[in-house]
């Protein structure tokens, strides 16, 4: 292009290292800023949940945990089928629209569609609750529990799109504040209904209904105030075409993640389901603490990064940094889970600690697949996810049927790891085929080699007292982190980390002086 006043303006070279460095650092700072806010909110929520754990494990039995898990999964799979994938493409089409009116139309069309579908689904679910309960729990099941869960599902639909809007607009503080407020209300009501009134499962569900109703009304008003109400047939058709092909993949993911609980319920009992579910919840903390805050920002930013000339390098470095955080939290979970359960839970739940390392490993692989699916979404080749769902469902069901009848909860953990690995390889193959990202996997191999050795050492020798056990685990943690710092991170990575730490220290000192 020619500037009429100053003559030709030289175009910047795509491989200009200064341009790449500035662009990448800006993207990483933006990701880091909002990720830290989301992480803070999630950590607050998890701390509150941990404080409540002794209450839940004393007033709810392992069988109660199992029933709640199976109820939630049943509603999830029904919701996946009936939602027809409408909200899946919200961030894609929101990002692609150039004007604000178009962006608003994406949000409101998705919201109206989701509410309409959820209304129909909930009404049918309430009517069929006795039949579904008999299929899942047998004649001893309680249809009331499933009816209450359908009501929770209906109300949560009114929350979902306002939360998506907050994420799309990078309003991370508001997002965290609303979620934290709802959490406090829910936990307070749980104490009232579960501990004081001793209502068990019913108390947990009623607490969720009250808290969700309040949040749904508030957020619906927020959504209408921000974007109004408008239904666009064109936007609906675009999101339907994009999302409907992902529904089979979502169902396959459900089978991948949750079908083991149904197998456990069939071959064992709800108590085993409850113990396994508790172990899975601790393993899932890895995704919650390390990936979910990042993913909350990443699902929006990855489409913007794709427009940059240095997108490939950004994707590769973000993957390493994400794994460093992922691995550190995984190590903490594996090292301290037994001591935590010994102190904070009823003895009946203690066997869950044996399953956590396998399930944590499975979560790492699951997160890898979620990250590398970026290439599929950017290329728009989402149909490969639908075709892959058939293969992955078959693999998952085969592993569950072979391992769970013989090994129970341990078999479920191995089946989960195998199925997650198959899912990752499928996604990685097609993502690299349609949107290749060059990456050196030796860094990841060294990282998890060090962490795996640390966990193995911790399980091989365990001191007899709680104090000695905590000390031993802490020593292993410190040594492993130091080895990762020296052997995995490059000199530039270490320099950047030191700069971040120095910046935090400097700002803390300035606040103290002020």
């Amino acid at each position: 292009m020619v500037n009429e006043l100053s003559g030709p303006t030289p175009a910047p070279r795509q491989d200009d290292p200064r341009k790449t460095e500035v662009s990448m650092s800006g993207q990483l700072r933006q990701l880091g800023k909002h990720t830290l806010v989301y992480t803070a909110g999630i950590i607050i929520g998890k701390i509150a949940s941990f404080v409540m754990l002794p209450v839940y494990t004393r007033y709810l039995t392992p069988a109660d945990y199992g029933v709640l898990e199976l109820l939630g999964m049943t509603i999830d799979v029904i919701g996946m089928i009936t939602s027809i994938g409408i909200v899946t493409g919200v961030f894609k089409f929101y990002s692609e629209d150039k004007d604000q009116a178009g962006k608003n139309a994406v949000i409101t069309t998705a919201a109206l569609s989701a509410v309409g579908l959820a209304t129909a689904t909930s009404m049918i679910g309430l009517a069929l609750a006795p039949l579904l309960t008999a299929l899942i729990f047998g004649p001893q099941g309680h249809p009331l529990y499933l009816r209450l869960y359908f009501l929770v599902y209906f109300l949560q639909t009114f929350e979902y799109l306002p939360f998506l809007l907050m994420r799309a607009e990078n309003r991370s503080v508001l997002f965290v504040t609303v979620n934290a407020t709802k959490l406090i209300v829910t936990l307070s009501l749980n104490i009232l209904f579960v501990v004081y009134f001793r209502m068990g499962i019913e108390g947990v569900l009623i607490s969720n209904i009250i808290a969700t109703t309040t949040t749904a009304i508030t957020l619906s008003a927020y959504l209408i105030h921000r974007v109004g109400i408008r239904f666009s047939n064109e936007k609906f058709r675009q999101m339907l075409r994009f999302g409907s092909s992902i529904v089979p993949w979502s169902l396959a993911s459900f089978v991948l993640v949750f079908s083991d609980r149904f197998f456990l319920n069939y071959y064992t009992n709800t108590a085993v389901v409850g113990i396994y579910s508790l172990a899975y919840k601790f393993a899932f903390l890895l995704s919650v603490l390390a990936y979910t805050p990042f993913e909350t920002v990443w699902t929006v930013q990855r489409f913007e990064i794709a427009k940059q000339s240095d997108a490939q390098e950004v994707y590769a470095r973000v993957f390493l940094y994400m794994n460093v955080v992922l691995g550190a939290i995984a190590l903490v979970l594996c090292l301290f889970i037994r001591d935590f359960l010994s102190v904070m839970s009823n003895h009946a739940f203690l066997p869950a600690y044996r399953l956590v390392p396998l399930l944590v490993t499975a979560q790492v692989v699951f997160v890898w697949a979620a990250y590398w699916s970026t290439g599929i979404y950017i290329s728009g080749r989402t149909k490969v996810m639908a075709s892959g769902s058939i293969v992955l469902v078959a693999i998952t069901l085969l592993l569950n049927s072979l391992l769970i009848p013989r090994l129970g909860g341990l078999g479920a953990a191995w089946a989960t790891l195998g199925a997650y690995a198959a899912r990752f390889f499928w996604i990685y193959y097609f993502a690299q085929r349609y949107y290749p990202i060059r990456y050196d996997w030796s860094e990841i191999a060294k990282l998890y080699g060090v962490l795996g050795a640390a966990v193995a050492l911790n399980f091989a020798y365990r001191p007899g007292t709680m104090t000695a056990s905590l000390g031993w685990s802490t020593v292993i943690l410190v040594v492993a982190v130091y080895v990762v710092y020296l052997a995995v991170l490059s000199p530039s990575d270490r320099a950047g980390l030191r700069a971040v730490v120095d910046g935090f220290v400097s700002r803390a000192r300035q606040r103290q002086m002020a």
Side-chain angles (χ1 to χ4, degrees), residues 467-505:
T467 302
S469 178
L470 290 172
W472 172 240
S473 298
T474 302
V475 169
I476 293 176
L477 174 64
V478 172
V479 172
V481 169
Y482 185 67
V483 172
V484 167
Y485 178 78
L486 292 180
V488 177
L489 297 181
S490 67
S492 61
D493 291 331
R494 294 197 293 269
L497 180 60
R498 287 194 298 268
V500 171
V501 174
D502 291 342
F504 277 119
V505 172

Side-chain angles (χ1 to χ4, degrees), residues 328-340:
I329 297 177
L331 182 60
V332 171
L333 287 172
C334 293
L335 294 180
F336 294 97
I337 182 60
R338 180 173 180 173
D339 294 328
F340 182 87

Side-chain angles (χ1 to χ4, degrees), residues 293-308:
F294 165 80
E295 186 264 349
T296 305
V297 183
W298 182 247
T299 49
V300 181
Q301 293 298 320
R302 61 184 177 180
F303 294 108
E304 299 298 328
I305 292 173
K307 302 172 184 176
Q308 301 173 189

Side-chain angles (χ1 to χ4, degrees), residues 355-378:
L355 305 176
V356 170
L358 268 178
L359 293 172
V360 162
T361 304
Q363 285 298 316
V364 170
V365 178
F366 189 87
V367 168
W368 287 357
Y371 182 88
W372 286 100
S373 67
T374 293
I376 293 176
Y377 282 104
I378 290 174

Side-chain angles (χ1 to χ4, degrees), residues 207-467:
S207 299
N208 273 280
I209 289 171
I210 296 173
T212 305
T213 299
T214 304
T215 310
I217 294 172
T218 304
L219 290 182
S220 296
Y222 167 83
L223 181 71
I224 294 172
H225 173 73
R226 294 287 299 177
V227 298
I229 300 178
R230 175 193 169 193
F231 186 87
S232 168
N233 289 324
E234 179 185 359
K235 301 295 182 186
F236 176 80
R237 287 192 295 269
Q238 288 177 343
M239 288 186 283
L240 181 61
R241 282 195 300 268
F242 180 85
S244 59
S245 62
I246 300 176
V247 171
W249 178 261
S250 298
L251 290 173
S253 296
F254 178 88
V255 173
L256 190 75
V257 176
F258 296 118
S259 64
D260 50 8
R261 276 69 147 193
F262 290 101
F263 275 85
L264 282 173
N265 186 49
Y266 181 80
Y267 287 106
T268 59
N269 51 59
T270 53
V272 176
V273 175
I275 292 172
Y276 178 82
S277 298
L278 182 63
Y280 196 95
K281 288 182 190 301
F282 276 99
F284 192 66
L285 278 175
L286 181 62
S287 294
V288 171
L289 296 177
Y291 185 70
T292 300
F294 165 80
E295 186 264 349
T296 305
V297 183
W298 182 247
T299 49
V300 181
Q301 293 298 320
R302 61 184 177 180
F303 294 108
E304 299 298 328
I305 292 173
K307 302 172 184 176
Q308 301 173 189
S309 60
D310 62 338
Q312 298 280 325
E313 187 174 354
V314 173
Y315 289 138
R317 297 317 293 169
V318 168
F319 184 64
L320 173 63
Y321 300 151
M322 181 193 74
N323 271 280
V324 170
V325 177
L326 195 70
I329 297 177
L331 182 60
V332 171
L333 287 172
C334 293
L335 294 180
F336 294 97
I337 182 60
R338 180 173 180 173
D339 294 328
F340 182 87
L341 286 175
S342 297
V343 173
M344 300 296 288
S345 70
N346 186 289
H347 184 72
F349 289 91
L350 186 59
Y353 87 90
R354 300 189 186 96
L355 305 176
V356 170
L358 268 178
L359 293 172
V360 162
T361 304
Q363 285 298 316
V364 170
V365 178
F366 189 87
V367 168
W368 287 357
Y371 182 88
W372 286 100
S373 67
T374 293
I376 293 176
Y377 282 104
I378 290 174
S379 65
R381 305 294 186 92
T382 54
K383 289 185 178 180
V384 303
M385 300 176 76
S387 59
S389 63
I390 301 174
V391 178
L392 295 179
V393 164
I395 292 174
T396 302
L397 296 178
L398 177 63
L399 291 173
N400 285 337
S401 62
L402 291 175
L403 298 177
I404 291 177
R406 294 171 175 80
L407 301 175
L410 183 62
W414 277 110
T416 297
L417 177 57
Y420 283 11
R423 177 178 182 268
F424 165 71
F425 286 119
W426 182 276
I427 288 179
Y428 184 76
Y429 172 78
F430 285 103
Q432 291 294 82
R433 179 179 176 181
Y434 296 127
Y435 191 85
I437 299 174
R438 294 180 298 275
Y439 191 74
D440 181 7
W441 281 89
S442 63
E443 296 174 313
I444 299 299
K446 287 189 292 183
L447 171 65
Y448 287 104
V450 172
L451 301 182
V455 174
L457 180 61
N458 182 259
F459 269 71
Y461 171 71
R462 182 171 296 278
T465 66
M466 176 68 68
T467 302

